[in-house]
Amino acid sequence: FVPDKAIRETAAAQLATQRDIVWKTLRTQLNLPSDSRTPFFDVAEPWTKIVVHSVPVCSEYSKGLLTREFCQDLASAAGFEYDNLKTCRLLCSSSDDERIRATLASSPTKPVYTSIFLALSGVSSVRSLYKHGVHWNGAWCRVSVYRRRRRN
């Protein structure tokens, strides 16, 4: 079961509320004239943000963690199209990221378990993930709605 509120809260429509900032950044990065008109932002397709917990990462990914190949393998294991994947990243601090990579490099036969953040388009595939989880590298991984932590 995917709560409708969670889907709405994590929709790409949130980007539309920041369209002026997004457009200013794009204009600067693309060296466009300052009088360029703001384009229409199409946010008809929602992005759902999820967390895949306890993902076993093996040594084969130590140098290429979260590469295209890794993300394609994860998409295949989770049962969604790679093209529906908008963002894939470790859900940890930079120090934990360094620890994970060091552990993978020093212990090639021992997997490291971590959480991975995914932003996906296409709600139907997400509903299945919530219900069934993901089988990845021989382990079942729980899937939950991503909730941004509030920083004090």
Side-chain angles (χ1 to χ4, degrees), residues 63-116:
K63 292 181 183 169
L65 193 58
L66 301 184
T67 61
R68 180 181 178 99
E69 179 186 359
F70 178 91
C71 294
Q72 284 175 327
D73 288 350
L74 181 58
S76 176
F80 62 84
E81 294 293 323
Y82 174 75
D83 293 341
N84 290 347
L85 182 61
K86 303 304 179 191
T87 303
C88 179
R89 66 177 169 83
L90 292 180
L91 192 60
C92 64
S93 66
S94 58
S95 62
D96 283 345
D97 182 289
E98 291 171 12
R99 180 190 52 79
I100 289 168
R101 291 175 194 272
T103 302
L104 288 171
S106 66
S107 304
T109 59
K110 181 181 176 186
V112 175
Y113 295 87
T114 187
S115 294
I116 296 182

Side-chain angles (χ1 to χ4, degrees), residues 12-13 41-46:
F41 286 90
D42 182 10
V43 294
E45 183 177 38

Side-chain angles (χ1 to χ4, degrees), residues 28 64 77 91 93 134 140:
T28 303
L91 192 60
S93 66
V134 176
W140 179 81

